[in-house]
Amino acid sequence: GENVEQHPSTLSVQEGDSAVIKCTYSDSASNYFPWYKQELGKGPQLIIDIRSNVGEKKDQRIAVTLNKTAKHFSLHITETQPEDSAVYFCAASIRGSNFGNEKLTFGTGTRLTIIP
Amino acid sequence: DSGVTQTPKHLITATGQRVTLRCSPRSGDLSVYWYQQSLDQGLQFLIQYYNGEERAKGNILERFSAQQFPDLHSELNLSSLELGDSALYFCASSVEGWADTQYFGPGTRLTVL
């Protein structure tokens, strides 16, 4: 099955600086890569996603890049703010599969702390 | 607020006991997913129900079971509880299946003593 590795497990950055979280996946058939943000006491919330037919997607201060050859994708947060402090999870799945293996496999999470 | 509700918020019980966790999906969503989140294993998919029927299974133990009712709410039953079952249990829902965005509830924190 799919295996997703996520690094780093913790990350502290100065407010205003950029943060980068990296994930690798094992199944070359994976074609959908969402990122979730989990704030304290809440469930994960989808913040951005990317499909394998594009290499980069941006939404305001958040961007995700995908390297299919290396089976690697990353989350970039620019101009970080205190409210960006949370745990971030990457995930991978095979959307549109007829084999019943579309399940989301999550990385182990990155605790991001923004230092004011 | 995702629109997915879960009860109870916290649950403390003893080893060997049985508990039931409840989830109400967003209005209009037909699929419900259950996940377990523990400190050492991240988010693990347990099981998916679609419109009342089991659709996909993940790493769900035989001691655990789930069902989805005609009104689309779902219950996760955990029996013969062990210390290692202590975790956060999340329910998520989506319009239909895995091709749709999943919206997560706030979770139920289970502590087994």
Side-chain angles (χ1 to χ4, degrees), chain A residues 30-63:
Chain A
S30 288
N31 59 9
Y32 175 64
F33 308 92
W35 285 89
Y36 285 82
K37 175 183 181 182
Q38 185 176 16
E39 297 176 331
L40 197 62
K42 297 184 178 180
Q45 178 186 10
L46 179 71
I47 55 172
I48 194 167
D49 57 15
I50 191 169
R51 298 176 193 273
S52 61
N53 57 346
V54 297
E56 184 174 358
K57 183 176 178 181
K58 194 171 181 180
D59 182 4
Q60 299 183 329
R61 297 186 297 107
I62 294 173

Side-chain angles (χ1 to χ4, degrees), chain B residues 38-52:
Chain B
S38 54
L39 281 174
D40 58 345
Q41 292 206 343
L43 271 163
Q44 298 285 322
F45 167 66
L46 296 178
I47 197 165
Q48 175 204 6
Y49 275 80
Y50 173 76
N51 204 21

Side-chain angles (χ1 to χ4, degrees), chain A residues 32 36 38 41-46 49 51 87 89 93-96 100 102-108 111, chain B residues 9 35 37 39-45 56-58 88 90 97-107:
Chain A
Y32 175 64
Y36 285 82
Q38 185 176 16
K42 297 184 178 180
Q45 178 186 10
L46 179 71
D49 57 15
R51 298 176 193 273
V87 178
F89 291 93
S93 75
I94 307 169
R95 279 197 170 178
E102 295 177 299
K103 309 175 190 60
L104 275 176
T105 300
F106 285 84
T108 48
R111 182 173 298 279
Chain B
K9 196 171 177 64
Y35 291 87
Q37 185 177 41
L39 281 174
D40 58 345
Q41 292 206 343
L43 271 163
Q44 298 285 322
F45 167 66
K57 253 184 175 177
L88 269 167
F90 287 103
W98 294 94
D100 304 307
T101 298
Q102 292 185 28
Y103 295 88
F104 282 77

Side-chain angles (χ1 to χ4, degrees), chain B residues 57-78:
Chain B
K57 253 184 175 177
N59 303 319
I60 189 166
L61 299 172
E62 285 191 11
R63 301 182 285 109
F64 296 0
S65 65
Q67 54 185 323
Q68 187 179 28
F69 295 86
D71 67 352
L72 300 178
H73 90 272
S74 178
E75 293 182 355
L76 179 67
N77 301 296
L78 315 176

Side-chain angles (χ1 to χ4, degrees), chain A residues 6 21 36-37 47 75 77 84 86-90 109-110 112:
Chain A
Q6 182 172 347
I21 302 171
Y36 285 82
K37 175 183 181 182
I47 55 172
L75 177 71
I77 306 174
D84 295 330
V87 178
Y88 291 81
F89 291 93
C90 62
T110 296
L112 175 63

